[in-house]
Amino acid sequence: MLKKTPFYEMHVKNNGRIVEFAGFLMPVQFEGIIPEHRTVRIDVGVFDVSHMGEIEILGKDRLKFVNYLTTNDASKLELNQIQYSTMLYPDTGIVDDLLVYNFKDRILLVVNAANTDKDYQWIINNKKYDIDIKNISDDIGQLAVQGPKAESVMQKVFDLDLSTLRYYWATEVKMQGIPVLLSRTGYTGEDGFEVYVDKKYAVQCWPMIFDAGAEYNIKPIGLGARDTLRFEMRYCLYGNDIDKTTNPLEAGLGWVVKFDKGDFIGRDKLLKIKEAGVKRKLVGFEVIGKGIPRPHQEIHAEDRKIGFVTSGTFSPSRNKGMGIGYVEKPHNKVGTRIKVIGKTPVDAEVIKGPFYKQGSRK
Amino acid sequence: MANIMEGLKYTKEHEWVKIEGDTALEGLTDYAQSELSDIVMIEPPEVGRKVNAGEPVGTIEAVKAVSDLYAGLTGEIIEINEKVVSDPSIINKDPYGEGWLFKTKLDDPSQAETLLTPEQYKELIAKH
């Protein structure tokens, strides 16, 4: 049985093209991926991300437990602060990438929709110390409001001075009378907010945001543009760029692995990999000439396979085909020429950093 | 609901064919452009190439997916729509008009009788 988010009727009304995604009926696009992509880069767009999973960790040892469960150093979190992190299997494969919210009475883990049940089970199986685990995913609606105009729109909806809410911080606040969790987060490279709200009030939040955003050209955005936006920032997508067969070091997520914080699941093996050096790296590359890389295509250099594409599409901002993939070292070096093997092989060059560098992210 | 034009023939690969004497103009149907959405690149066949009906002759790349382009009828490619090659989004905007893809000189214009009528094509996409 496919699930509907609290905003499903709005998507139908807005002529969204509905597809199945991670067990949910979700809009993949409204007016088109490229115009929606540009709306978020130039103005502001609203994503229904209610399919994301929310798992609460309660009890006095919650911080100690989350620090054992995840790779980033949760003990560094201040109250209301958020951290991007990963959870690993003991063999260093990635269970999921997630956000860790530290509140005065609980820790909230926000996980990928397709992984919610798996993650919940994983956390239960690894439970230790004095804690409780609650999967509240089915009770929560979530909207992401993203784009350079996001603050102007949301300032009309909230009494709180939003310039005081910094990137990767959250607050529990009323949205025109409705209790919500508001965070300055997102996965687009633009400034923006995410609003978590009890399912029973969720549908009321939609018109509040759209009324406030009308003067800023606000529009609903589907999963298609959500993917091209994160892709241009080279943010990892679980199931494409990272999964149980990849470790965070080769995926370029070493910045969320803190070996000096004490033990965590996967630490021992990952430390050995770090000491020996990873054999492959996730790189971004730009097509030279025509062609669009696609996931699973082989990457060749010196006439042999040296890797494979994990994400590949047309970059609306760069107006060309770009890709992300694993390549054997030393082919990860910036400037390396590679060949992407599609129906017609295309030449590409390993490049540095995100594909889009002008984002409004604060 | 996808637009289906009268007076055209259709293929199972969601292309339309317009017979003009011994030549045929071919393009993508409204249904196909809508399914693909956001077409960003096309690789058409070369002018002068001999093609067989149903043969893959090029590719169409949209943001999310790549699709083969097929020859609707047997003959020789005599013209490519260069405007569409430089701005493939024209296919999304006007699939039956400005968005035509290539012109073929037909070996046998009566081969067009083997293609789908608008009614038959309508039935085909109703099954999707």
Side-chain angles (χ1 to χ4, degrees), chain B residues 23-50:
Chain B
T23 68
L25 210 55
E26 304 194 20
L28 278 194
T29 66
D30 184 44
Y31 175 81
Q33 72 74 20
S34 162
E35 284 294 302
L36 280 170
S37 186
D38 303 277
I39 298 169
V40 290
M41 220 172 269
I42 81 159
E43 215 171 302
E46 278 167 27
V47 170
R49 174 168 165 187
K50 304 267 193 207

Side-chain angles (χ1 to χ4, degrees), chain A residues 39-160:
Chain A
T39 291
V40 175
R41 288 274 181 254
I42 295 164
D43 293 319
V44 55
V46 180
F47 305 75
D48 177 3
V49 282
S50 304
H51 58 313
M52 301 291 284
E54 292 87 11
I55 298 168
E56 283 183 344
I57 311 295
L58 305 140
K60 72 173 174 58
D61 294 327
R62 60 184 182 275
L63 208 53
K64 203 162 106 181
F65 173 67
V66 170
N67 224 14
Y68 166 73
L69 184 71
T70 62
T71 58
N72 207 338
D73 189 353
S75 73
K76 290 267 169 38
L77 281 169
E78 293 187 39
L79 276 188
N80 292 337
Q81 201 181 4
I82 307 159
Q83 191 173 66
Y84 179 67
S85 194
T86 61
M87 292 193 284
L88 305 186
Y89 293 107
D91 74 354
T92 76
I94 299 175
V95 180
D96 207 356
D97 63 330
L98 71 161
L99 292 181
V100 179
Y101 285 70
N102 184 36
F103 293 116
K104 65 176 188 297
D105 55 349
R106 67 196 192 283
I107 287 177
L108 175 68
L109 308 179
V110 180
V111 303
N112 282 297
N115 292 339
T116 303
D117 294 341
K118 176 190 83 174
D119 290 0
Y120 180 52
Q121 203 53 54
W122 175 252
I123 297 167
I124 288 173
N125 293 348
N126 286 282
K127 184 181 168 181
K128 56 185 202 171
Y129 312 130
D130 181 6
I131 57 143
D132 279 309
I133 305 159
K134 259 168 82 178
N135 180 2
I136 59 166
S137 305
D138 287 342
D139 306 327
I140 305 288
Q142 189 191 346
L143 293 175
V145 182
Q146 302 280 304
K149 310 275 173 64
E151 186 179 289
S152 304
V153 172
M154 296 300 264
Q155 192 58 75
K156 289 173 71 185
V157 183
F158 288 94
D159 292 331
L160 171 80

Side-chain angles (χ1 to χ4, degrees), chain A residues 17 29 32-35 227-228 290-292 294 313-314 321 343-344, chain B residues 34-35 37-38 40-43 59 61-66 68 85:
Chain A
R17 182 179 297 180
Q29 64 177 77
I33 294 172
I34 293 175
D227 187 49
T228 54
K290 261 187 141 181
I292 300 176
R294 303 288 180 180
T313 187
F314 177 81
K343 201 165 263 181
T344 317
Chain B
S34 162
E35 284 294 302
S37 186
D38 303 277
V40 290
M41 220 172 269
I42 81 159
E43 215 171 302
T59 53
E61 301 251 17
V63 174
K64 291 305 286 179
V66 56
D68 278 324
V85 175

Side-chain angles (χ1 to χ4, degrees), chain A residues 264-324:
Chain A
F264 59 87
I265 302 170
R267 183 180 186 275
D268 294 350
K269 285 224 163 116
L270 196 63
L271 192 57
K272 288 202 178 86
I273 290 171
K274 186 185 162 75
E275 282 161 359
V278 296
K279 297 201 164 43
R280 59 178 190 176
K281 287 287 277 184
L282 194 63
V283 298
F285 55 88
E286 167 178 45
V287 168
I288 298 160
K290 261 187 141 181
I292 300 176
R294 303 288 180 180
H296 313 301
Q297 288 175 344
E298 290 187 0
I299 298 175
H300 288 206
E302 295 156 0
D303 292 320
R304 66 179 185 91
K305 184 185 172 189
I306 53 139
F308 57 97
V309 178
T310 56
S311 290
T313 187
F314 177 81
S315 160
S317 301
R318 298 285 290 261
N319 199 35
K320 59 159 42 183
M322 314 284 290
I324 300 173

Side-chain angles (χ1 to χ4, degrees), chain A residues 152-172:
Chain A
S152 304
V153 172
M154 296 300 264
Q155 192 58 75
K156 289 173 71 185
V157 183
F158 288 94
D159 292 331
L160 171 80
D161 176 5
L162 291 181
S163 67
T164 64
L165 184 63
R166 286 177 288 152
Y167 189 57
Y168 269 59
W169 288 74
T171 180
E172 294 179 274

